Amino acid sequence: MTVDADALSQVLSAVDLRIGTARRERLSAGGLLPLARAGATLIYVAEGSLGTHQRLGLACRLKSDGAAFEPTGADAVRLSAGDAFLSFGRSEVALEAVDAAKVVIVDLELSDAAVRLTHDIPSTLAVYDFDAADPAAAALAAHMGIDDPAICQKRTGDLLVCRMMATTVLLAVIRAWAMSDHAAAWPSRQGDPFLDRVIAAIHDEPGREWTVARLASVGAMSRSTFAERFRSAIGRSPAEYVTEVRIDAAKRMLHAGRSVSATSRDLGYGSDEGFRRAFRRRTGMSPSAWRTTSDDLMPERRDEQVPVGLPV
């Protein structure tokens, strides 16, 4: 496959994080590592191996010569030392230690622009032999985080440096996937400035009353042309996409402590019940139940987490 290097570089350069926090954790055989449906999570396996019970959307395997990738399909994932795993938080995932393992866990909060740019990437990625694909990024990942957050001493500028480290590793994982055959349609979808303008408007104001006519106006198109062009490029209708963006925003707001009523109001729903129905259709549970699950999996608020540890 031939990758448009200029397009890929342009997209990767626009991916940014608001927050990137990390920790190192040891798991005994059979130990579970649940990943919440709130923000993205990057895992690097330093020692041992982990796997998943459920079948996931996509995995990439690096060939032994480090030159190309071959797909593993939608099978359950088995990760070993040197492998990387990325979840964008669109679904609940749990990893289980096959044997004793040491992992680096990086909790990521993507900027709104990064969310838009990565929307067409599968919800989970496994890059096997990541340490062979990008030794520098793998070495950086292996030294991120701390073993005991209680003894971490923050220094001036640490948060900025740590966010840059997390961004570097994240981009290396995305680039590894982008070079695989699975990514043939990415980032070509980002090349339509009119649709980009519409998508940016939706993400900037998810609570606005977005009709097809209003969205078409933003994109400087007729309603019929816009609807056809949008579905062809994005793979779903404008209304479905608006709902998707709203529910993703609702997840972040609920996890941050907003009430169901306040979230419903801010996202443009006419009633709390209408919001609950939309949320349940997309996630399979009520907003309050999802928030409880999210808090159980990730009890600390992101602004209270310890920043990524500097290399040791």
Side-chain angles (χ1 to χ4, degrees), residues 2-305:
T2 301
V3 176
D4 187 333
D6 290 338
L8 178 59
S9 297
Q10 181 179 7
V11 172
L12 291 179
S13 67
V15 176
D16 190 21
L17 304 178
R18 289 198 186 98
I19 300 173
T21 64
R23 64 189 184 279
R24 290 196 291 267
E25 187 169 322
R26 292 188 178 274
L27 300 171
S28 56
L32 291 177
L33 179 61
L35 307 182
R37 291 175 299 177
T41 306
L42 177 64
I43 304 293
Y44 180 76
V45 183
E47 300 174 9
S49 59
L50 301 91
T52 63
H53 293 296
Q54 69 265 56
R55 293 168 64 87
L56 300 177
L58 177 69
C60 307
R61 182 181 294 278
L62 182 67
K63 291 183 179 179
S64 58
D65 60 5
F69 291 82
E70 58 185 15
T72 63
D75 296 330
V77 170
R78 174 69 178 265
L79 304 170
S80 300
D83 295 344
F85 181 81
L86 175 62
S87 169
F88 282 102
R90 301 174 199 147
S91 60
E92 186 174 304
V93 178
L95 300 174
E96 180 179 357
V98 177
D99 48 32
K102 181 178 180 180
V103 295
V104 177
I105 307 162
V106 187
D107 297 318
L108 308 171
E109 183 177 332
L110 301 176
S111 67
D112 289 341
V115 171
R116 291 195 300 271
L117 291 170
T118 59
H119 190 275
D120 288 321
I121 299 177
S123 60
T124 57
L125 299 176
V127 179
Y128 299 102
D129 299 325
F130 178 62
D131 54 350
D134 198 324
L140 188 62
H143 291 94
M144 292 170 64
I146 53 177
D147 293 305
D148 185 359
I151 63 174
C152 177
Q153 298 295 321
K154 298 181 183 180
R155 296 175 297 180
T156 301
D158 272 4
L159 186 58
L160 175 61
V161 173
C162 295
R163 190 173 72 240
M164 294 172 63
M165 293 168 59
T167 302
T168 298
V169 179
L170 171 66
L171 295 185
V173 172
I174 293 176
R175 180 177 60 188
W177 171 77
M179 299 299 292
S180 74
D181 290 338
H182 293 289
W186 191 89
S188 60
R189 288 179 178 176
Q190 312 298 329
D192 189 326
F194 299 99
L195 285 183
D196 285 348
R197 188 187 307 162
V198 173
I199 292 172
I202 294 171
H203 281 269
D204 289 342
E205 298 183 88
R208 189 172 181 180
E209 186 179 354
W210 288 117
T211 63
V212 172
R214 180 168 290 171
L215 290 170
S217 176
V218 172
M221 290 176 264
S222 68
R223 289 180 57 180
S224 58
T225 299
F226 165 71
E228 180 179 353
R229 195 159 158 183
F230 190 96
R231 182 178 285 277
S232 175
I234 307 301
R236 44 204 173 279
S237 71
E240 290 170 335
Y241 187 81
V242 169
T243 298
E244 186 175 290
V245 172
R246 284 181 173 180
I247 298 306
D248 286 345
K251 291 177 181 179
R252 295 192 296 271
M253 295 166 70
L254 291 167
H255 182 69
R258 298 295 297 276
S259 70
V260 172
S261 293
T263 300
S264 171
R265 182 174 60 253
D266 289 348
L267 292 177
Y269 287 93
S271 68
D272 291 355
E273 184 56 34
F275 168 61
R276 290 189 180 96
R277 285 197 300 269
F279 194 95
R280 185 182 291 276
R281 279 196 300 269
R282 178 148 185 86
T283 67
M285 63 178 66
S286 68
S288 56
W290 185 91
R291 180 170 55 189
T292 299
T293 303
S294 172
D295 288 344
D296 287 343
L297 292 174
M298 190 181 296
E300 296 179 351
R301 300 299 181 196
R302 292 188 180 273
D303 56 2
E304 296 171 348
Q305 292 181 344

